[in-house]
């Protein structure tokens, strides 16, 4: 194992993707079950996500799901990737994380994003418009103020005074917001390397030390698939690539489908183009191939941590991929040692 990989933390974000033949409640139970497996493999964190009104994603209440994950595990850090702050009142978010940290002390991460609802209808139902994300910096400052106990009028209970590590999920502009707030940055995706590196550079250049972090902390996020062969690893990418292609051509995000059914169907020229694009640039392959690719990403970005966000229909194949990745990263667990 290289010294670059050995000095890097590895974590997992599961989006609670629904699968054909499996309903949304099953997807949520699958997430909790996966969290137990990920903990046994020695990963550092396990995060869940927030989506509203998206047919192919079951996770709409990340703090509730994080509570279930934390209750089902014992040591791994648990958090959100992320709570979309423009959808919520900062006080309520602070209170929710305060409850989580009180119940599971020393294990909760507060990952925050600036996206708004998926459609106009969802945004109206949430009571926010597209412009709700424009004041993300102000919302973040208000939220952190409740936790620090510096808000001039309101004392948030129970979060005030608790140690709740915040993370900002960003694509471009959010990197500057994270830097100004002095909080860790989560940045993706790994395919657009040039854009990722520009955002990381902007974050480090503008970082202001704070009570939350004395130095910049960078988490790079993206898809990683590991299998016995490059072709097997590529097959793990197929369901999500097709779902994204379908969403962009039909306006609806579908459940993940089995690889065999996707490969047997006919595709329009546009669907095929988007599908093939979704497969390109992902980190996938054998353990040796993925190790080399990760070494390059970490060396180029100076990342402190890698957050793996892989989704696929084959849950057994997904878990095997995480086992192989744990071996690459040198994570310590009985499962990894027995598989070596």
């Amino acid at each position: 194992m290289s010294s670059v990989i050995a000095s890097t933390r590895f974590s997992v974000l599961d989006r609670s993707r629904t699968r054909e033949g499996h309903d949304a409640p099953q997807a949520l139970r699958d997430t909790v079950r996966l969290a137990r497996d990920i903990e046994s493999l020695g990963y550092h964190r396990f995060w869940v996500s927030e989506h509203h009104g998206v047919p192919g994603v079951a996770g709409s209440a990340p703090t509730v799901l994080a509570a279930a994950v934390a209750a089902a595990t014992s040591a791994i850090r648990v958090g959100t990737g992320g709570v979309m702050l423009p959808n919520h009142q900062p006080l309520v978010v602070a209170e929710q994380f305060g409850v989580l940290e009180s119940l599971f002390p020393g294990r909760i991460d507060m990952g925050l994003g600036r996206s708004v609802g998926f459609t106009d209808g969802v945004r109206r139902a949430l009571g926010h418009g597209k412009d709700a994300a424009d004041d993300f910096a102000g919302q973040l400052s208000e939220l952190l103020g409740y936790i620090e106990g510096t808000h001039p009028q309101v004392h948030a209970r129970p979060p005030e005074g608790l140690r709740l590590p915040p993370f900002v999920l960003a694509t471009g502009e959010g990197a500057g917001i994270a830097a100004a707030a002095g909080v860790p940055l989560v940045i993706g995706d790994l395919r657009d390397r040039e854009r990722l590196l520009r955002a990381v550079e902007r974050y480090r250049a503008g970082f202001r030390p704070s009570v939350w972090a004395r130095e910049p902390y960078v988490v790079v996020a993206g898809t990683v698939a590991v299998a016995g062969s490059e072709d097997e690893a590529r097959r793990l990418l197929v369901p999500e690539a097709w779902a994204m292609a379908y969403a962009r051509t039909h306006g609806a995000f579908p459940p993940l489908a089995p690889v065999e059914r996707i490969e047997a169907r006919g595709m329009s020229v546009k669907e095929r183009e988007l599908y093939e694009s979704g497969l390109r640039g992902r980190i996938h392959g054998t353990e040796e191939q993925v190790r080399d690719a990760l070494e390059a990403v970490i060396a180029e970005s100076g990342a402190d941590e890698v957050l793996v966000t892989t989704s696929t229909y084959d849950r057994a194949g997904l878990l095997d991929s995480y086992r192989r990745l744990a071996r690459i990263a040198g994570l310590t667990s009985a499962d990894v040692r027995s598989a070596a």
Side-chain angles (χ1 to χ4, degrees):
M1 182 191 6
S2 75
S3 59
V4 171
I5 290 180
S7 61
T8 305
R9 288 170 168 165
F10 281 79
S11 300
V12 170
L13 164 66
D14 190 67
R15 291 193 174 93
S16 302
R17 291 285 278 111
T18 60
R19 297 178 293 153
E20 288 188 1
H22 305 265
D23 59 15
Q26 181 62 56
L28 296 173
R29 293 191 292 270
D30 285 344
T31 291
V32 175
R33 185 178 299 110
L34 179 63
R36 290 195 291 263
D37 291 327
I38 292 301
E39 178 176 60
S40 75
L41 291 171
Y43 285 85
H44 185 61
R45 311 178 203 276
F46 187 91
W47 283 5
V48 297
S49 64
E50 173 183 338
H51 296 82
H52 298 282
V54 181
V57 186
S60 57
T63 54
V64 176
L65 184 53
V69 168
T73 54
S74 60
I76 194 170
R77 296 198 64 86
V78 176
T80 54
V83 165
M84 296 300 136
L85 195 51
N87 293 335
H88 310 279
Q89 292 297 326
L91 174 61
V92 175
V93 174
E95 290 172 339
Q96 291 173 344
F97 278 98
V99 170
L100 282 170
E101 176 62 21
S102 298
L103 294 174
F104 307 100
R107 295 181 57 204
I108 301 301
D109 299 324
M110 186 170 60
L112 306 164
R114 63 190 297 267
S115 295
V116 292
F118 183 62
T119 64
D120 288 338
V122 168
R123 287 189 287 271
R124 283 194 298 270
L126 290 169
H128 301 285
K130 286 185 177 180
D131 59 352
D134 294 344
D135 189 34
F136 178 67
Q139 295 162 345
L140 176 64
S141 177
E142 181 182 348
L143 171 58
L144 297 181
Y146 290 131
I147 297 170
E148 292 179 87
T150 57
H151 194 281
Q153 296 174 309
V154 178
H155 293 279
R157 311 293 185 197
E160 188 173 296
L162 295 180
R163 185 64 183 172
L164 272 167
F167 296 74
V168 165
L169 282 64
T171 51
E173 181 182 344
I177 294 173
V183 303
L185 173 72
V186 182
I187 184 77
D189 74 51
L190 295 175
R191 292 187 303 167
D192 194 343
R193 198 69 51 81
E194 185 176 333
R195 184 181 183 187
L196 182 149
L197 295 177
R198 285 199 307 268
V200 169
E201 183 179 357
R202 184 161 59 251
Y203 167 71
R204 289 202 173 100
F207 184 83
R208 301 176 184 174
S210 72
V211 298
W212 308 108
R214 295 181 179 179
E215 298 177 347
Y217 189 90
V218 174
V219 183
V220 295
T223 296
V224 180
V226 198
S229 70
E230 186 174 0
D231 183 63
E232 289 177 288
R234 183 183 182 278
R235 287 174 66 81
L236 291 175
L237 306 177
V238 165
E240 185 73 10
W242 167 244
M244 293 299 295
Y246 186 92
R248 292 180 65 182
T249 51
H250 293 76
F253 202 51
L256 298 174
V259 173
E260 295 77 14
R261 200 173 72 74
I262 295 170
E263 292 181 336
R265 70 175 294 148
M267 298 184 194
S268 69
V269 173
K270 184 64 174 177
E271 286 173 340
R272 175 66 64 180
E273 176 186 327
L274 291 169
Y275 169 67
E276 294 292 346
S277 175
L279 292 172
R280 287 194 293 271
R282 305 291 188 184
I283 293 181
H284 73 285
T286 63
E287 292 178 36
E288 182 177 0
Q289 289 172 318
V290 169
R291 183 196 65 218
D292 292 345
L294 285 171
E295 285 179 350
V297 169
I298 296 167
E300 289 175 7
S301 65
D304 302 284
E305 187 169 342
V306 175
L307 180 67
V308 183
T309 62
T310 309
S311 298
T312 191
Y313 180 89
D314 181 1
R315 299 295 288 191
L318 179 65
L319 181 55
D320 180 64
S321 177
Y322 282 129
R323 286 196 184 101
R324 292 173 181 273
L325 179 58
R327 193 153 58 222
I328 293 169
L331 305 184
T332 56
S333 75
D335 286 355
V336 173
R337 288 193 296 271
S338 64

